[in-house]
Amino acid sequence: MMKKIMIVSLLVFVLGQSWGQEKTKKALFVIVDGIPKDVVDTVDTPNIDAVAAEGGFTMAIMGGDPETYSETPTISAVGYNSLLTGTWANKHNVWGNSIKQPNYYYPTIFKAFKTVFPSKKTAIYSTWLDNRTKLVGANLPATGHFSFDYYYDGMEIDTLHFPHDEQREFIHLIDEAVSKEAAAHVRKEGPDLAWVYLEYSDDMGHKYGNSPEMIDGVKKADVQIGRIWEAIKYREANFEEDWMLVVTTDHGRTVDGYGHGGQSERERKIWIATNADNLNGYFMDNEQEMVDIFPSLAHHLGLSLPKNQAMELDGVSFVGHVSAADFEVDRVRESLKLGWKAFAKGERGRVWIAPSNNFQNGGLDNYWDFGEVNLDDEAATVLLDGLDSKLLKVVLETPSGYLNYWVVEE
């Protein structure tokens, strides 16, 4: 039976806690483009290995759940935005590299970070200008004119200094410039939240498929990642800073290595390497997803989100305490069958359901409280009690955060 209505507004959910910490928490993530897991597994990457040796390395998934509302193309900009917003394309509304109409009501981690910590510094070092101007939406009214404190990008349109060639060597040169600038700026300034994007490996896949050129592109990227890793180690050795580094890729590739965009196993399989030393059971025992990186970075940074935003995240933090993951919902006539995987004992959760999606237009959703569940049970049945809609947003509130699933009428 429904108990009460909760109007999500100013309540706050804390994704991470920062008090009591002596060291300043900082984070940087690297997206190196288009490297399938089976490639990174077989190519010598000593710097990625060094990062993982301090934390961990895992297979992950890009693409949402196939043949459901969250299915997301395995395309570059779509993958970047899935990381940036912690949501799949049905929410952030980026479906291809043209980036036509991003839904900025789902904030990027940079926008969320600066909203909570306006005095802290953000940076982007990128081989693609659209990452800053379109995906993050720098200086746009729709993002509240968010701006990075430092940016280094746009070289791909500078044909004077980087003349274009058919072999795409100019992209490698830009990646070199980007990685060197990132390392120098991190070493000198130590921004609080930063993004490095490297493109050349994807270009080698598109041009040569599974090939020595693709392998060489991965090796070149590893050297570039090494520069950034050295800068982070310098900061940690010389300043009271605790850095979380995440290195990932945005999609896999087709069997021949040339393409991507679909839902084949190789296109969906990506990977995550991190130096985080507080990896939880979700990281150890489960298959991570691209959308898990946002809440993981947020936890490390002590970033709090308004409750209505936290309830929209599709990912689960792979650092710190985790209560549950793998939340799914099936409708059976006038009831919902809920399932999840529990990672802690003796905890309880609460089920909330909203028959609307006003969030996508900047509005508030009315969530009905359907009571508590025992998380150890890993299943529950909820009677809808007359609540009906073509879209039901079902949220499982747990001690470590929120899990959400949409029930969409076909």
Side-chain angles (χ1 to χ4, degrees):
M1 179 178 293
M2 293 181 289
K3 295 182 179 178
K4 58 185 176 181
I5 294 177
M6 177 182 69
I7 299 178
V8 178
S9 56
L10 299 178
L11 297 176
V12 174
F13 164 59
V14 181
L15 284 169
Q17 306 291 349
S18 59
W19 52 81
Q21 303 284 353
E22 293 183 359
K23 295 185 177 181
T24 303
K25 300 284 191 177
K26 304 205 173 193
L28 184 150
F29 60 93
V30 180
I31 299 178
V32 55
D33 206 317
I35 303 176
K37 184 176 184 296
D38 56 63
V39 173
V40 79
D41 280 347
T42 56
V43 175
D44 186 27
T45 53
N47 292 299
I48 294 174
D49 294 348
V51 173
E54 292 200 6
F57 180 92
T58 184
M59 188 190 85
I61 292 296
M62 165 58 198
D65 293 328
E67 300 181 0
T68 74
Y69 69 89
S70 68
E71 181 176 307
T72 295
T74 52
I75 295 173
S76 293
V78 187
Y80 314 157
N81 217 41
S82 297
L83 187 160
L84 288 169
T85 64
T87 67
W88 296 120
N90 61 297
K91 296 178 182 178
H92 65 62
N93 203 43
V94 172
W95 297 94
N97 288 336
S98 58
I99 315 174
K100 292 179 180 179
Q101 291 183 308
N103 189 336
Y104 295 118
Y105 289 119
Y106 298 91
T108 67
I109 191 167
F110 290 105
K111 171 66 175 174
F113 185 73
K114 286 293 274 189
T115 298
V116 176
F117 303 116
S119 64
K120 293 194 174 185
K121 305 303 182 183
T122 58
I124 182 172
Y125 324 91
S126 173
T127 302
W128 198 36
L129 179 62
D130 286 357
N131 286 338
R132 174 171 61 90
T133 59
K134 291 185 178 181
L135 290 180
V136 179
N139 301 312
L140 296 180
T143 64
H145 299 281
F146 167 85
S147 61
F148 284 93
D149 295 285
Y150 183 82
Y151 59 87
Y152 186 80
D153 57 15
M155 280 76 72
E156 75 273 21
I157 60 177
D158 180 1
T159 56
L160 177 63
H161 294 95
F162 298 95
H164 294 193
D165 61 296
E166 291 185 2
Q167 287 69 41
R168 305 289 289 179
E169 182 64 19
F170 76 99
I171 292 294
H172 167 60
L173 296 177
I174 294 173
D175 280 357
E176 283 284 284
V178 165
S179 63
K180 289 176 181 178
E181 180 64 19
H185 187 254
V186 166
R187 186 181 179 93
K188 182 179 179 181
E189 302 293 340
D192 297 284
L193 176 61
W195 175 16
V196 177
Y197 167 69
L198 307 171
E199 179 182 327
Y200 183 69
S201 50
D202 186 57
D203 287 2
M204 292 302 95
H206 282 302
K207 189 170 182 62
Y208 300 105
N210 301 326
S211 62
E213 288 83 359
M214 176 66 182
I215 292 172
D216 181 62
V218 175
K219 290 181 177 180
K220 284 182 165 65
D222 185 71
V223 172
Q224 293 155 357
I225 290 165
R227 294 176 184 137
I228 299 157
W229 179 229
E230 288 178 3
I232 287 174
K233 298 302 289 181
Y234 170 81
R235 294 293 306 188
E236 290 190 322
N238 292 277
F239 300 87
E240 290 296 315
E241 295 173 354
D242 177 9
W243 284 75
M244 180 176 179
L245 174 61
V246 175
V247 184
T248 190
T249 194
D250 52 337
H251 54 75
R253 313 198 74 83
T254 51
V255 173
D256 60 10
Y258 285 98
H260 56 86
Q263 295 292 319
S264 70
E265 183 178 7
R266 192 170 191 244
E267 288 169 285
R268 288 170 56 81
K269 275 190 177 182
I270 61 169
W271 47 272
I272 297 171
T274 179
N275 69 323
D277 61 2
N278 58 338
L279 299 169
N280 56 34
Y282 175 60
F283 186 93
M284 301 301 181
D285 301 334
N286 257 54
E287 198 171 70
Q288 271 63 66
E289 298 184 299
M290 176 66 89
V291 292
D292 295 332
I293 295 173
F294 181 125
S296 302
L297 294 171
H299 181 94
H300 176 77
L301 292 167
L303 172 60
S304 302
L305 294 182
K307 191 171 184 178
N308 63 332
Q309 292 179 13
M311 292 173 83
E312 296 290 338
L313 290 181
D314 290 321
V316 175
S317 176
F318 52 71
V319 296
H321 177 69
V322 60
S323 300
D326 295 343
F327 184 51
E328 292 187 347
V329 182
D330 289 320
R331 181 165 185 168
V332 181
R333 293 184 293 277
E334 296 305 312
S335 66
L336 299 179
K337 303 291 186 181
L338 283 56
W340 60 87
K341 182 176 180 179
F343 289 91
K345 295 295 184 181
E347 293 189 343
R348 298 189 66 79
R350 183 170 294 276
V351 178
W352 301 94
I353 302 177
S356 63
N357 188 25
N358 298 320
F359 186 93
Q360 68 178 345
N361 299 313
L364 300 176
D365 292 303
N366 294 337
Y367 278 86
W368 292 83
D369 180 358
F370 278 77
E372 286 193 341
V373 294
N374 183 353
L375 294 181
D376 290 343
D377 293 342
E378 298 191 329
T381 298
V382 171
L383 299 178
L384 288 174
D385 196 24
L387 185 65
D388 201 6
S389 172
K390 291 185 177 180
L391 170 64
L392 295 173
K393 293 165 59 173
V394 186
V395 174
L396 178 61
E397 180 181 1
T398 78
S400 67
Y402 296 93
L403 309 175
N404 79 87
Y405 197 92
W406 285 8
V407 177
V408 183
E409 183 178 305
E410 296 294 337

